[in-house]
């Protein structure tokens, strides 16, 4: 049994609740355990994962958040840099599923977050579990 940490940037409560629900359900269905922590925003997710990984307490991670395009360039920075930070950690062998939604509007986010529709939280958890399995297969 593996232990996962779901790191959520809680900004849109109703959307995050659905994403976390999907992630927790996927992890539980696979016979694993999960904890959840909250960070201020999507940019803090990679840093929180890096800090938690140093503890050795977790086998894998799921980043959860929602970034909705606004009127400024901030969307591009948050979307790109949070993904880049997660990818950098993944390239170092950390098993992470990226469940940070980057969408144009709330309607798109609702469809993607809902476990009964696109279930991107569940998909991110499945990605983290798949990477963990590969890491174990290759002895990393």
């Amino acid at each position: 049994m593996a232990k996962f940490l779901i790191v959520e940037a809680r900004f849109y409560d109703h959307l995050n609740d659905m994403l976390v629900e999907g992630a927790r359900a996927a992890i539980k269905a696979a016979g694993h355990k999960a904890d959840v922590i909250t960070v201020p925003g999507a940019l803090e997710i990679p840093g929180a994962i890096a800090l938690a990984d140093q503890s050795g307490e977790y086998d894998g991670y799921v980043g959860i958040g929602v970034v909705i395009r606004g009127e400024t360039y901030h969307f591009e920075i948050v979307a790109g840099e949070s993904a880049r930070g997660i990818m950098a950690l993944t390239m170092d062998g950390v098993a992470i599923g990226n469940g940070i939604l980057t969408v144009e509007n709330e309607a798109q986010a609702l469809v993607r977050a809902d476990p009964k529709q696109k279930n991107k939280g569940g998909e991110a958890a499945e990605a983290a579990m798949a990477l963990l399995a590969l890491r174990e297969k290759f002895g990393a």
Side-chain angles (χ1 to χ4, degrees), residues 66-134:
V66 180
V67 183
I68 298 176
R69 185 179 300 277
E71 297 176 1
T72 68
Y73 185 70
H74 186 67
F75 172 87
E76 282 80 8
I77 293 169
V78 174
E81 291 302 309
S82 61
R84 185 196 59 76
I86 288 172
M87 184 56 65
L89 290 166
T90 302
M91 296 300 291
D92 286 339
V94 182
I96 306 171
N98 185 350
I100 302 172
L101 303 182
T102 52
V103 296
E104 297 293 324
N105 54 55
E106 186 175 345
Q108 290 177 350
L110 281 166
V111 169
R112 286 158 179 78
D114 189 346
K116 294 177 184 72
Q117 294 187 57
K118 294 210 177 209
N119 192 21
K120 294 299 181 179
E123 286 181 10
E126 289 169 3
M129 290 184 285
L131 286 172
L132 177 60
L134 283 174

Side-chain angles (χ1 to χ4, degrees), residues 3 5 20 30 36 48 53 58 67 69 80 116 118 122 137:
K3 188 172 181 185
L5 179 63
V20 170
V36 179
D53 197 53
Y58 297 98
V67 183
R69 185 179 300 277
K116 294 177 184 72
K118 294 210 177 209
K137 176 181 178 174

